[in-house]
Amino acid sequence: MPILLKNGRVVTADSDAVCDILVEGEIIAALGRNLPANGAEVIDCTGKIVVPGGIDPHVHLEMPFMGTFSSDTYETGTRAALHGGTTTVIDFILQKQGHSLRSALEEWQGRATGNAVGDYGFHMAVTNFNPGTKEEIKEIMAEGITSFKTFMAYKGALMIDDAQMVGLMAEVKKHGGLVTAHATNGDLIDTLVAQHRAQGLLTPLYHYRSQPEVTEAEASGRFADIANYTGVQAYIVHLTCEGALNQVRRATERNQRVLVETCIQYLLLDASRYEDAAKGAQVVMSPPLREKKDQATLWAGINQGLVNVLGTDHCPFMWEQKLLGKEDFSKIPNGHPAVEHRVELLFSEGVNKGRITLNKFVEITSTNAAKIFGMFPRKGTISIGADADLVIIDPNKTHIISAATHHMNCDYSAYEGWELTGKVDTVLLRGKVAIDAGKAKVGRGYGQFIRRGKPNF
Ligand code: URP
Ligand code: ZN
Ligand code: ZN
Ligand code: ZN
């Protein structure tokens, strides 16, 4: 049955008007005032805001990491995302060093296929660039995986050196793809970790102290420089701080555009969390939370157009898993749960508090990621012919975040007890009501793999 969304305030990255949206099958069939119902199921959106489905381009579902697996599966993670208005996530495939990209793709497909509730795509993390990998780049792009991730840290597990970086960038450039980086200096971090451990400084605070701003600023600048040399389009994931953003600003002075993603936690949480030795492990992630001045830089960077995308780096571990590092911060699995609350947190803390406009909110939670990662205009906007991925937000409804009520498979939340204003009421994914009044209406297997095109931003 067609669905008619009546009288919502429909907001995209560049428009804002009260109108109706007619959904037929999986797509948006018509937009306009006073559209006739003609037997469609009517959803009254009076007083509500309707935005394109959120896209979180940075999640880690069921990822093998630091001797364990992140605790959300494709099913639980994408369902939690839908609850919070995120209809598409992009997850990271990790090449195993010494193995092919194809074998990693098959491993990830094995976990995802038939299990996701919401839509998903993949990035390919190249952890070992060699002549064999080089041959595979074109083939991986043909699978609809057009962004390649590099790690400049996690030596011995994921990190590549600059020689591999140059080679990868040159190859990806040839095929019109994008190279992204976890841009922190792995050698410098490992040196600081070793120093702290040698001194018996083992609490979560020393996770933070082992990754000072310079470790991120240096690698961000180096990544931008190598990208400029090769001419590839560069994108920095989870950028957290002033020093790193200044490197991006510097790149603009030679007319290079380095795309930037930050994550919701870097806007809202700060490093004082690490002073709590008992609970600090909840927010052990890399890069770590920063200072208030960095939060201010990031909010400004969003409005300056330097920060393009908001992700989460959703990588949850149960508390029991975090306790692997009870005696030593360097053994705490890095990551935290966030995919469910990115949209509502940004609405409440960003839009309601006057830091960003509603259009900007849509731009950084959905539209820019769709363009950068080759899904626009199928995803990321509200237009005729686009997927009917729609989020209806009640701007005045308040609610409180708690691990007791969230849908992520994690037994704590960094935002426990936060009261938010603005709540996701109803979510449509490809024309189906996926979430209504807090209940999931689509099940395991509804989520589809999205074959992405080349970046177009
Ligand atoms: O702490 C983090 N970020 N864990 C996930 C892996 C990564 O670096 O993105
Ligand atoms: Zn919520
Ligand atoms: Zn990372
Ligand atoms: Zn990550």
Side-chain angles (χ1 to χ4, degrees):
M1 202 207 283
I3 300 177
L4 183 64
L5 279 67
K6 281 297 284 178
N7 284 324
R9 177 177 172 192
V10 178
V11 182
T12 69
D14 48 23
S15 66
D16 186 342
V18 172
C19 77
D20 303 340
I21 305 173
L22 180 67
V23 174
E24 283 178 1
E26 298 201 342
I27 65 166
I28 295 170
L31 291 166
R33 301 295 282 266
N34 305 315
L35 294 181
N38 288 340
E41 173 191 345
V42 174
I43 301 178
D44 180 14
C45 299
T46 309
K48 311 275 172 74
I49 294 170
V50 185
V51 294
I55 298 171
D56 186 341
H58 194 146
V59 304
H60 302 279
L61 302 174
E62 231 178 315
M63 177 178 73
F65 190 54
M66 295 182 76
T68 183
F69 281 80
S70 57
S71 59
D72 261 320
T73 61
Y74 279 83
E75 180 180 358
T76 64
T78 59
R79 186 194 296 127
L82 282 174
H83 273 284
T86 291
T87 48
T88 303
V89 300
I90 312 181
D91 189 46
F92 293 86
I93 298 172
L94 305 182
Q95 176 192 19
K96 263 202 203 79
Q97 293 186 337
H99 297 256
S100 68
L101 300 180
R102 171 65 58 183
S103 62
L105 169 59
E106 286 168 359
E107 186 187 334
W108 257 256
Q109 284 170 331
R111 285 193 282 268
T113 308
N115 289 322
V117 185
D119 285 356
Y120 65 97
F122 290 135
H123 306 281
M124 176 61 76
V126 176
T127 63
N128 179 211
F129 186 76
N130 58 46
T133 325
K134 182 174 175 205
E135 291 304 310
E136 290 189 275
I137 297 294
K138 189 175 172 193
E139 198 188 306
I140 295 297
M141 294 238 354
E143 296 281 352
I145 300 168
T146 54
S147 43
F148 295 85
K149 166 83 173 288
T150 62
F151 289 92
M152 300 170 82
Y154 304 119
K155 198 172 187 172
L158 304 171
M159 177 170 150
I160 60 169
D161 61 23
D162 292 349
Q164 294 181 66
M165 181 72 87
V166 178
L168 173 67
M169 283 181 169
E171 190 61 22
V172 172
K173 157 84 181 162
K174 233 188 331 194
H175 303 293
L178 182 82
V179 174
T180 79
H182 171 123
T184 63
N185 184 318
D187 284 313
L188 184 44
I189 292 167
D190 288 350
T191 302
L192 295 173
V193 168
Q195 282 175 9
H196 288 131
R197 293 178 75 207
Q199 295 170 67
L201 301 169
L202 297 170
T203 61
L205 179 64
Y206 292 92
H207 169 79
Y208 166 64
R209 297 261 173 96
S210 298
Q211 299 199 36
E213 189 168 0
V214 61
T215 59
E216 191 179 334
E218 185 282 328
S220 300
R222 178 159 40 101
F223 176 67
D225 288 347
I226 302 173
N228 191 48
Y229 170 73
T230 61
V232 80
Q233 178 60 64
Y235 175 104
I236 298 177
V237 306
H238 56 38
L239 184 142
T240 71
C241 61
E242 185 184 11
L245 196 64
N246 282 341
Q247 293 299 321
V248 172
R249 218 183 301 273
R250 178 176 65 84
T252 67
E253 275 155 23
R254 59 190 173 211
N255 203 27
Q256 181 193 9
R257 194 169 56 152
V258 175
L259 303 173
V260 172
E261 163 200 292
T262 191
C263 296
I264 189 71
Q265 61 273 22
Y266 300 119
L267 293 173
L268 301 179
L269 307 177
D270 70 68
S272 62
R273 295 279 183 125
Y274 298 115
E275 282 154 24
D276 183 339
K279 291 207 306 206
Q282 287 185 358
V283 286
V284 163
M285 64 186 79
S286 294
L289 301 173
R290 300 289 185 196
E291 308 294 306
K292 295 264 191 240
K293 61 106 182 155
D294 297 298
Q295 297 178 351
T297 299
L298 293 174
W299 284 111
I302 289 170
N303 286 318
Q304 290 161 339
L306 285 173
V307 175
N308 312 98
V309 172
L310 185 77
T312 57
D313 198 6
H314 176 75
C315 189
F317 295 98
M318 300 297 274
W319 186 243
E320 190 188 337
Q321 294 174 289
K322 286 283 188 179
L323 291 178
L324 291 167
K326 189 168 49 155
E327 314 289 344
D328 176 352
F329 71 85
S330 72
K331 298 196 166 60
I332 301 170
N334 284 202
H336 85 312
V339 74
E340 185 167 348
H341 295 120
R342 178 186 67 122
V343 168
E344 289 173 333
L345 280 165
L346 189 71
F347 186 84
S348 188
E349 297 293 314
V351 178
N352 278 343
K353 296 196 173 164
R355 289 162 162 147
I356 58 169
T357 65
L358 253 179
N359 296 114
K360 190 54 110 174
F361 164 79
V362 173
E363 205 187 302
I364 67 171
T365 55
S366 179
T367 312
N368 284 354
K371 290 178 177 173
I372 292 168
F373 295 110
M375 296 185 282
F376 189 86
R378 177 182 173 188
K379 306 274 190 202
T381 193
I382 297 177
S383 62
I384 293 169
D387 279 4
D389 297 353
L390 299 165
V391 178
I392 304 171
I393 297 172
D394 183 335
N396 302 312
K397 196 185 274 179
T398 59
H399 65 121
I400 292 174
I401 295 183
S402 172
T405 51
H406 73 201
H407 300 84
M408 299 175 285
N409 187 40
C410 193
D411 47 5
Y412 55 87
S413 169
Y415 304 96
E416 186 70 37
W418 282 37
E419 186 180 77
L420 305 188
T421 300
K423 188 168 188 331
V424 169
D425 258 4
T426 305
V427 179
L428 277 75
L429 172 57
R430 280 180 287 101
K432 268 210 160 67
V433 173
I435 301 291
D436 190 37
K439 295 266 181 313
K441 302 288 180 186
V442 293
R444 188 165 79 92
Y446 183 69
Q448 279 187 3
F449 173 68
I450 304 299
R451 299 175 75 88
R452 298 183 290 108
K454 292 179 181 176
N456 183 9
F457 183 72

